[in-house]
Amino acid sequence: MAADAYSARLRDSRRHRPGGPGAPAVTSMDLDAATLVLGAGVTVLTHPLLYVKLLIQVGHEPQPPIMGTNLFGRKVLYLPGFFSYARYIIKVDGKKGLFRGLTPRLVSSAISTVVRSRARQVIPLSDMEHVSNKDDIKTTLNKVVTETSHEMVVQCVSWVLIHPFHVISVRCMAQFVGREVKYSGLFGSIVRIYKEEGLMGFFVGLVPHLMGEVIFLWCCNLLAHLINTYAVDDNFTHAPAVRSYTRFVMGMAVSLLTYPFLVVTDLMAINNCGLIAGNPPNFPVFKSWIHCWRHLSAKGHLFRGSSFFFRRVPMETAKFTVE
């Protein structure tokens, strides 16, 4: 979303060149290059967060919980937050260890940018900009559905193409648990997965990935449109500002709803692939992603890793630790 916003600003600068008629125009290639650079930068900056999140998702807790107090003054056991976990990774692997599995994510970012750019060329932006519920609050529901359908197709194609690199990245990061070196590089990982699992090995966990992203997209767009149309009064002074942030707020809310799909996707990517993190006794060999979902749901782990701070120890574990 940040990359798309940056592209929009670049398009505006192309239409209104500050240097006058003689100033050079911003070309489509310039936009793609800028988006690639921005996307790579965001990927690098956020990778440690996603790395820690993944290790929490697989249940790897190498540090003991600490005693703290909640808002009511009661003593509560908390698991280490992001910064404590990151310091532990640095202690074990050094600062470079925080970027384990980064290369496949950079490739994914680049592929996603290229796919979106090509889609914009097939369906010109001028045809789509005027049907955005963020720009025109009077947009009909049919136009919102049309825009969302277009976006869904583009993103589904992108997700299918980048999912193999997501699988590689997740497996590279999960090796931290068992200190394996099975997936040591991008090309080496591709060869290993193909030899051991065939072509389908690159697409394990794809179904929950697509389902989560599609549900997220439709819920965000439709809820934002309905709220902007029926809940925000045109007579309100700051109505335009409120409407501009509606989709962002809806995205944060809906991301909590679809988070279990992300957990299942990541666990399916490492399940039964020879890594300690994804094999018994940590996890059973799942027959399908539905089996994985049911297993996590029964243990109350569908939202594990959704928070980086104030992670309370589960009640059963807390009682055992105190005793």
Side-chain angles (χ1 to χ4, degrees):
M1 292 179 65
D4 291 340
Y6 184 73
S7 298
R9 290 196 294 271
L10 286 178
R11 289 197 303 271
D12 291 339
S13 67
R14 183 182 178 184
R15 296 191 188 99
H16 307 287
R17 296 191 294 268
V26 179
T27 65
S28 176
M29 186 176 297
D30 293 333
L31 289 175
D32 293 343
T35 305
L36 280 172
V37 172
L38 179 63
V42 172
T43 300
V44 172
L45 291 176
T46 59
H47 188 76
L49 291 170
L50 296 180
Y51 186 15
V52 172
K53 179 189 289 289
L54 175 73
L55 294 179
I56 296 174
Q57 286 176 349
V58 302
H60 186 55
E61 299 290 351
Q63 298 174 285
I66 58 176
M67 185 67 70
T69 57
N70 59 16
L71 294 176
F72 302 101
R74 298 181 59 183
K75 290 185 177 180
V76 179
L77 281 174
Y78 287 105
L79 292 169
F82 166 75
F83 294 106
S84 297
Y85 213 126
R87 284 195 295 268
Y88 176 80
I89 294 175
I90 293 175
K91 181 180 178 180
V92 175
D93 282 345
K95 293 182 179 179
K96 291 183 178 179
L98 286 174
F99 299 94
R100 181 196 294 259
L102 175 61
T103 301
R105 289 198 63 229
L106 289 174
V107 175
S108 298
S109 176
I111 292 176
S112 179
T113 299
V114 172
V115 170
R116 292 171 186 272
S117 174
R118 295 297 176 266
R120 287 197 298 267
Q121 294 177 8
V122 174
I123 302 180
L125 286 169
S126 58
D127 296 339
M128 300 302 298
E129 286 174 346
H130 300 293
V131 300
S132 174
N133 58 310
K134 294 184 292 184
D135 298 331
D136 182 11
I137 196 57
K138 301 302 181 182
T139 300
T140 64
L141 184 59
N142 288 336
K143 289 183 178 180
V144 175
V145 171
T146 300
E147 181 188 42
T148 305
S149 299
H150 166 266
E151 188 177 356
M152 180 186 67
V153 172
V154 173
Q155 292 197 18
C156 283
V157 172
S158 174
W159 293 324
V160 170
L161 292 176
I162 69 176
H163 189 78
F165 299 98
H166 177 77
V167 171
I168 295 172
S169 178
V170 168
R171 292 186 180 184
C172 288
M173 292 186 283
Q175 290 183 137
F176 180 83
V177 177
R179 311 305 300 163
E180 297 105 336
V181 292
K182 184 177 181 179
Y183 302 96
S184 56
L186 179 60
F187 295 105
S189 299
I190 292 174
V191 172
R192 179 175 288 274
I193 292 176
Y194 184 76
K195 285 184 177 180
E196 295 183 355
E197 304 171 55
L199 188 61
M200 295 306 297
F202 295 103
F203 297 97
V204 289
L206 175 62
V207 173
H209 185 181
L210 291 177
M211 288 184 63
E213 297 291 355
V214 168
I215 293 173
F216 175 85
L217 176 63
W218 278 97
C219 287
C220 280
N221 286 0
L222 292 178
L223 287 175
H225 172 72
L226 293 175
I227 290 175
N228 284 341
T229 303
Y230 300 107
V232 181
D233 191 352
D234 288 330
N235 296 325
F236 180 53
T237 306
H238 301 289
V242 172
R243 286 166 177 157
S244 65
Y245 287 102
T246 300
R247 194 177 187 280
F248 173 75
V249 175
M250 287 298 98
M252 295 180 62
V254 176
S255 64
L256 296 177
L257 174 66
T258 58
Y259 183 79
F261 289 98
L262 173 62
V263 179
V264 173
T265 297
D266 290 344
L267 291 186
M268 288 301 295
I270 64 172
N271 189 243
N272 197 30
C273 70
L275 299 180
I276 291 177
N279 276 26
N282 291 328
F283 292 100
V285 176
F286 298 121
K287 299 177 182 178
S288 66
W289 71 270
I290 297 178
H291 180 201
C292 178
W293 183 291
R294 290 175 177 173
H295 173 81
L296 295 175
S297 178
K299 292 184 173 295
H301 292 166
L302 279 174
F303 291 90
R304 185 161 60 184
S306 60
S307 175
F308 287 119
F309 307 100
F310 305 109
R311 299 192 301 123
R312 294 183 59 173
V313 175
M315 187 62 66
E316 297 78 4
T317 307
K319 290 181 179 179
F320 179 79
T321 303
V322 173
E323 293 176 353

